[in-house]
Amino acid sequence: ATDILETGYDAGLTTQALSETGANVIGIDNCSEYGDVDRFAKRRLEDYPNCLLINREIIDFLTRSKLDTQFDLIYIDDNHNHNHVKLELELLKDLVKPCGIIAFHDVIMFPELLNVIDEILPTWNVIVLDAYSPQDKQNYGIAIAQRPNE
């Protein structure tokens, strides 16, 4: 991947891993879930010129801004509310390059997300994988959806 978008960067752990690939990474998060994590993310990522952090709610950002790129990978790990994910996915699906991927974290913890994926991306190939947290050993799960080569 050369262009990656991450929603819900929190303290920037995943964002750092994505940035270390050398890809251009944009992280968007309103930092409402964990309070003051934005400063940790900014400190963690200050040495990554290929990473841009935007402190904003993703739906607001997508409806008010015009992204002028398509992404190879979009990693979604923000608000898991059904209606939010549905609207977010409607706004994001066309920002993925053909054969690109949208990865959804927490699909085992929030299984209704799989229904949203099936509804909004009915022609995409989707697989669900286990994703265990090293901290609490819980299986949060990840769904990987690949856009068809249209």
Side-chain angles (χ1 to χ4, degrees):
T2 56
D3 295 297
I4 299 173
L5 175 66
E6 178 186 18
T7 69
Y9 62 78
D10 295 328
L13 294 169
T14 304
T15 316
Q16 181 179 0
L18 294 170
S19 296
E20 287 179 356
T21 69
N24 300 311
V25 179
I26 298 173
I28 302 175
D29 195 336
N30 66 355
C31 301
S32 64
E33 188 175 12
Y34 298 111
D36 197 25
V37 296
D38 189 49
R39 68 184 173 99
F40 297 111
K42 287 179 178 168
R43 187 176 315 132
R44 171 174 281 113
L45 295 159
E46 66 188 359
D47 293 331
Y48 294 89
N50 57 319
C51 181
L52 171 66
L53 297 180
I54 300 170
N55 188 328
R56 224 157 128 201
E57 200 282 320
I58 186 66
I59 302 296
D60 177 63
F61 178 81
L62 292 171
T63 55
R64 295 175 186 253
S65 304
K66 178 66 177 154
L67 288 172
D68 60 357
T69 187
Q70 283 192 307
F71 297 92
D72 302 293
L73 170 65
I74 296 177
Y75 182 75
I76 298 176
D77 190 18
D78 60 334
N79 184 335
H80 300 313
N81 171 279
H82 176 92
N83 291 332
H84 180 275
V85 174
K86 187 174 179 178
L87 179 55
E88 179 179 32
L89 195 50
E90 284 286 355
L91 293 167
L92 288 173
K93 68 181 181 181
D94 293 330
L95 295 178
V96 179
K97 294 176 184 175
C99 297
I101 290 174
I102 299 179
F104 303 83
H105 193 244
D106 298 330
V107 296
I108 291 178
M109 296 296 286
F110 298 91
E112 65 275 8
L113 297 179
L114 295 172
N115 294 331
V116 174
I117 295 167
D118 288 342
E119 178 183 346
I120 306 301
L121 308 175
T123 63
W124 293 37
N125 294 319
V126 178
I127 60 170
V128 178
L129 303 169
D130 291 336
Y132 288 91
S133 165
Q135 285 86 22
D136 63 14
K137 310 300 185 225
Q138 286 275 67
N139 183 6
Y140 289 85
I142 189 165
I144 299 171
Q146 183 179 35
R147 182 177 180 171
N149 188 12
E150 301 159 340

